[in-house]
Amino acid sequence: MVSSITRIQNYVIDGAATSDGLETVLESNFAPSLISLPATPLFGTDGIRGKVGELLSAPLALQIGFWAGVVLRSHAGQLRPVILGQDSRNSSDMLAMALSAGLTAAGLEVWYLGLCPTPCVAYLTSVSEAIGGVMISASHNPPEDNGIKIFGANGGKLSQALQAEIEKGLRGNMPITSNVSNCGRHYSRWELVKDYGEALKRPWQNKVNLQGMKVVLDLAWGAAVGLAPSVFAEMGAEVISLHNAADGDRINVNCGSTHLERLQTAVQEHNADLGFAFDGDADRVLAVDPTGRPVNGDYILYLWGLHLKQQNQLPDNLIVSTVMANLGFEKAWQQQGGKLIRTAVGDQYVQAEMIKTGAMLGGEQSGHILCSHYGMTGDGLLTALHLASLVKQSGVSLAELIDQSFQTYPQLLRNVRVVDRDRRLNWQNCTPVQQAIALAEKAMGDTGRILVRASGTEPVIRVMVEAANAELANYWTNELVAQVQQHLAP
């Protein structure tokens, strides 16, 4: 593994390649027989993600970098840089070096940012001459996982068509030396992260500041530790930070957007105006109001949508969300004269629908929020600043804004761990589970809603039941989880 990467680096990064020599090295290091790939697709709802040492390895990252470089270069039609960033996981350095070696082997220049949020890579890609961006992160997953997310030149998630081309190369179905005839270079460009930080504050310059507000930030030991506290402080807020160091052993562990307990306690202890919890790569955020009550993406979309609607900046009063969006949110938005379109779970599907319909606002209950006024991807820091500014401008507390918005329908979400990848991704072929779903849907009729799906980011089957009352939701959740455990996760 190390010798393969070193050989590529010697030929490419150090500029020692000849055309014939480069072709020989590429053929010997990018043959599909070098790595074992699963039969199921590599790209999920948020890039390629898995446990390091199992699915994700340096040899695979080397090949992903190369084939991503080949595909990006062929569609751009010119040689321009690729931006590369990472989160704080212990494996991120290894994967970054392997990806950079692959990208430079494809003849591309790499601008390496180091530790930064995922939306930083997306933003800098969109405003620079870059033909694409790559972020190394498993988002909210535990420390032993990692992932590779690829962005197009516009800063949006790479299209499924281009993902399929990369996978075609990885599986040996594309000529190895396709469009490759020169060597790339690797440059450290840490200073560019500051440009992203400045861009975060720009929408409020000479308009709104956060003076007089006390804000608690849970940074999840992740990618936002170097940026979020300073940006909020520069906006005038008093900032209290939790889990505010880059720590690859503890990223997302009992903290961040998937574990709000510490943030809820801290907001109340410090008598703060509100709190924000980011995930490991800070592309999503959840909030906590002054009473310690969680505020998820449905509420953020409702409040932000209402603000844009009042400013006549929301075409057709349309919001795009996913099948996870609560019925209470949908009905309340309709009462405001708005329209909600649902997509499959995953911000790439929300983004695609927004592009298709011209919608300006969309997102997920989990805290991925996209606003086309400001960019093409979810940005936890930008969302947090917007929500804090909305609270400041309203003159009332976040708790009061939530009280005035809507009541959610009881909604239960349970995760069932299914390690077998093929069984997990093909769960629809399990007859007993399908029969149980049909029975539950018939029993609830119009009073409830069921969603069972394989996670695109974790080795789990997600079971969601939404019903008119909590007792009904709890009963059918338990029934469906038991069927999944019995027939898919023995």
Side-chain angles (χ1 to χ4, degrees):
M1 175 185 73
V2 175
S3 61
S4 296
I5 296 174
T6 301
R7 289 172 65 195
I8 295 294
Q9 289 175 328
N10 288 341
Y11 267 83
V12 180
I13 297 178
D14 295 336
T18 64
S19 178
D20 292 340
L22 177 59
E23 182 173 338
T24 300
V25 171
L26 294 179
E27 289 178 349
S28 64
N29 286 280
F30 295 101
S33 61
L34 286 177
I35 53 175
S36 177
L37 299 178
T40 50
L42 287 173
F43 284 90
T45 57
D46 201 15
I48 299 172
R49 192 176 297 190
K51 189 172 183 178
V52 177
E54 293 181 2
L55 175 64
L56 276 183
S57 63
L60 177 59
L62 180 71
Q63 294 210 22
I64 292 170
F66 176 75
W67 289 112
V70 167
V71 170
L72 289 170
R73 177 177 173 175
S74 66
H75 285 272
Q78 54 186 306
L79 288 175
R80 291 185 289 156
V82 171
I83 293 176
L84 175 63
Q86 67 175 76
D87 71 12
S88 60
R89 294 166 204 272
N90 294 336
S91 58
S92 291
D93 286 347
M94 172 191 73
L95 295 175
M97 294 304 99
L99 278 161
S100 182
L103 288 163
T104 51
L108 295 176
E109 186 174 292
V110 175
W111 290 359
Y112 176 58
L113 305 179
L115 182 70
C116 67
T118 289
C120 176
V121 172
Y123 168 77
L124 291 173
T125 300
S126 71
V127 300
S128 72
E129 60 186 292
I131 61 172
V134 181
M135 178 67 184
I136 302 161
S137 176
S139 194
H140 62 281
N141 283 29
E144 60 269 21
D145 291 347
N146 216 324
I148 298 170
K149 309 180 186 186
I150 305 176
F151 298 90
N154 65 353
K157 295 286 180 68
L158 198 66
S159 70
Q160 290 183 319
L162 295 191
Q163 289 178 8
E165 285 191 37
I166 294 171
E167 188 149 344
K168 183 178 177 182
L170 290 168
R171 294 186 184 277
N173 299 318
M174 187 184 295
I176 286 179
T177 56
S178 174
N179 294 327
V180 179
S181 60
N182 70 303
C183 310
R185 300 294 299 271
H186 174 105
Y187 297 96
S188 293
R189 297 296 307 273
W190 300 310
E191 78 282 358
L192 294 177
V193 178
K194 295 180 181 178
D195 294 341
Y196 164 68
E198 290 301 313
L200 287 171
K201 298 179 292 182
R202 198 167 296 136
W204 296 278
Q205 286 179 347
N206 303 318
K207 297 178 182 178
V208 180
N209 64 61
L210 304 181
Q211 290 180 0
M213 296 189 75
K214 185 184 293 186
V215 179
V216 182
L217 305 178
D218 183 346
L219 305 169
W221 308 112
V225 296
L227 266 178
S230 60
V231 168
F232 270 88
E234 289 163 8
M235 285 284 292
E238 179 184 346
V239 179
I240 296 135
S241 297
L242 309 176
H243 315 116
N244 59 333
D247 191 329
D249 289 318
R250 294 189 285 179
I251 183 172
N252 296 321
V253 177
N254 298 321
C255 62
S257 61
T258 54
H259 298 277
L260 296 180
E261 298 82 9
R262 291 285 303 278
L263 179 62
Q264 291 171 288
T265 299
V267 166
Q268 292 177 289
E269 287 181 346
H270 292 280
N271 195 28
D273 293 283
L274 69 171
F276 294 107
F278 303 95
D279 62 344
D281 67 336
D283 65 347
R284 73 185 199 181
V285 67
L286 294 180
V288 168
D289 75 11
T291 70
R293 178 172 46 179
V295 177
N296 65 23
D298 288 348
Y299 284 105
I300 295 171
L301 284 172
Y302 181 87
L303 294 176
W304 198 345
L306 201 58
H307 176 76
L308 290 175
K309 179 175 177 289
Q310 292 167 350
Q311 301 296 316
N312 295 317
Q313 293 182 332
L314 194 66
D316 299 323
N317 296 329
L318 173 62
I319 294 177
V320 177
S321 191
T322 75
V323 291
M324 292 297 296
N326 194 277
L327 281 171
F329 163 42
E330 181 175 20
K331 291 181 181 296
W333 185 241
Q334 290 171 343
Q335 289 173 358
Q336 292 289 341
K339 181 170 69 172
L340 182 73
I341 293 179
R342 294 176 183 267
T343 73
V345 174
D347 62 325
Q348 65 174 312
Y349 302 114
V350 172
Q351 182 189 79
E353 187 66 24
M354 290 174 66
I355 293 171
K356 175 184 173 182
T357 60
M360 298 304 293
L361 183 66
E364 299 186 275
Q365 190 181 81
S366 61
H368 278 117
I369 308 296
L370 297 86
C371 184
S372 299
H373 290 294
Y374 303 99
M376 289 291 293
T377 190
D379 190 328
L381 274 70
L382 186 67
T383 299
L385 287 169
H386 266 281
L387 186 57
S389 296
L390 287 176
V391 173
K392 180 67 181 294
Q393 289 175 293
S394 73
V396 300
S397 71
L398 179 58
E400 291 176 87
L401 290 177
I402 297 302
D403 290 340
Q404 296 165 9
S405 58
F406 61 89
Q407 290 291 319
T408 59
Y409 279 42
Q411 185 184 83
L412 294 181
L413 176 64
R414 295 268 297 278
N415 294 328
V416 182
R417 188 171 180 82
V418 180
V419 177
D420 187 298
R421 183 182 176 92
D422 289 337
R423 183 177 292 181
R424 182 173 74 251
L425 295 182
N426 295 298
W427 72 269
Q428 297 95 329
N429 298 328
C430 181
T431 300
V433 171
Q434 291 289 0
Q435 291 174 338
I437 293 172
L439 178 62
E441 289 178 334
K442 183 178 180 180
M444 289 196 297
D446 295 334
T447 65
R449 192 166 65 95
I450 293 170
L451 177 65
V452 179
R453 66 183 183 88
S455 170
T457 60
E458 297 178 85
V460 298
I461 298 287
R462 303 197 196 280
V463 177
M464 187 276 284
V465 177
E466 191 172 73
N469 62 74
E471 183 179 355
L472 199 61
N474 187 62
Y475 175 80
W476 286 113
T477 300
N478 290 336
E479 288 291 310
L480 294 175
V481 165
Q483 292 295 320
V484 173
Q485 288 174 333
Q486 180 180 347
H487 297 285
L488 293 172

